[in-house]
Amino acid sequence: MNIIFLDIDGVLNSRRKLIEVYKKTHRPHSGFNYPFDEKCLINLQTLVKLTNSKIVITSTWRKEQEGRETLLKALKDYSLDQEVIGYTPVLNSTRGEEIKEYLKQFAESPNFIIIDDDSDMEELIDRLVLTNGHVGLTQENIDKGIKLLSKKR
């Protein structure tokens, strides 16, 4: 099984998209009404399809019901909501620690990547696809993700 551990802010929404929406609406956006970037969602859809991956949410959006519902609604428009198989535990630690804790449920560790705009992954850093928060998930990130998922850990 291939798993994508997925962050949201800086991955599926970007500062570029926020600025674009602000220029049109002149309304600030924050929290769970932060606009998703369609390009980033399409890129995630492509990566999931090409690698036959499932998604585990690592983002702080997982901590609140409203965040989870908003996220799943956005993913549904791209048929990605059905690919979400879980959420990492909230340990108030690093992302890397939360991902390691999630992986303990498997008898044999699945093949995985981590898509995030932060790098607090500790010894899992070799599985990180680091995004630029200004632009979010790009074709270059997809290419790296495919390459990493084609290699067993």
Side-chain angles (χ1 to χ4, degrees):
M1 173 188 330
N2 287 336
I3 294 178
I4 297 170
F5 287 98
L6 183 67
D7 184 30
I8 304 305
D9 296 323
V11 176
L12 296 184
N13 54 36
S14 62
R15 286 187 292 282
R16 174 190 65 201
K17 181 66 175 182
L18 179 65
I19 292 166
E20 176 187 314
V21 171
Y22 181 78
K23 286 180 180 178
K24 290 178 184 175
T25 65
H26 300 288
R27 289 187 6 235
H29 293 82
S30 62
F32 302 129
N33 72 354
Y34 202 100
F36 285 90
D37 190 321
E38 299 84 7
K39 292 175 188 173
C40 297
L41 284 160
I42 290 168
N43 285 339
L44 178 62
Q45 182 184 48
T46 300
L47 179 60
V48 166
K49 185 183 238 182
L50 291 175
T51 61
N52 193 31
S53 294
K54 298 297 182 186
I55 299 170
V56 175
I57 306 300
T58 62
S59 172
T60 55
W61 287 56
R62 77 192 191 285
K63 293 181 179 182
E64 294 184 39
Q65 184 69 26
E66 181 185 357
R68 291 187 303 271
E69 288 172 0
T70 301
L71 173 59
L72 290 175
K73 183 178 177 189
L75 293 175
K76 185 175 184 169
D77 291 340
Y78 297 84
S79 302
L80 291 167
D81 59 317
Q82 297 172 21
E83 305 306 328
V84 175
I85 60 168
Y87 304 88
T88 53
V90 178
L91 303 177
N92 297 316
S93 183
T94 65
R95 285 270 159 88
E97 287 297 319
E98 293 172 337
I99 291 168
K100 286 191 297 187
E101 187 64 31
Y102 184 89
L103 288 169
K104 286 180 180 178
Q105 69 182 291
F106 298 96
E108 185 177 316
S109 184
N111 200 24
F112 68 91
I113 59 172
I114 304 163
I115 303 178
D116 205 310
D117 66 333
D118 201 354
S119 59
D120 60 343
M121 305 308 153
E122 299 165 355
E123 69 266 17
L124 302 179
I125 195 82
D126 64 322
R127 304 308 291 177
L128 177 64
V129 175
L130 185 65
T131 63
N132 175 328
H134 184 72
V135 295
L137 188 64
T138 64
Q139 182 62 50
E140 181 179 288
N141 298 138
I142 292 172
D143 295 342
K144 181 175 182 182
I146 291 169
K147 184 177 179 182
L148 286 173
L149 286 170
S150 68
K151 294 181 193 176
K152 293 290 180 191
R153 190 160 195 267

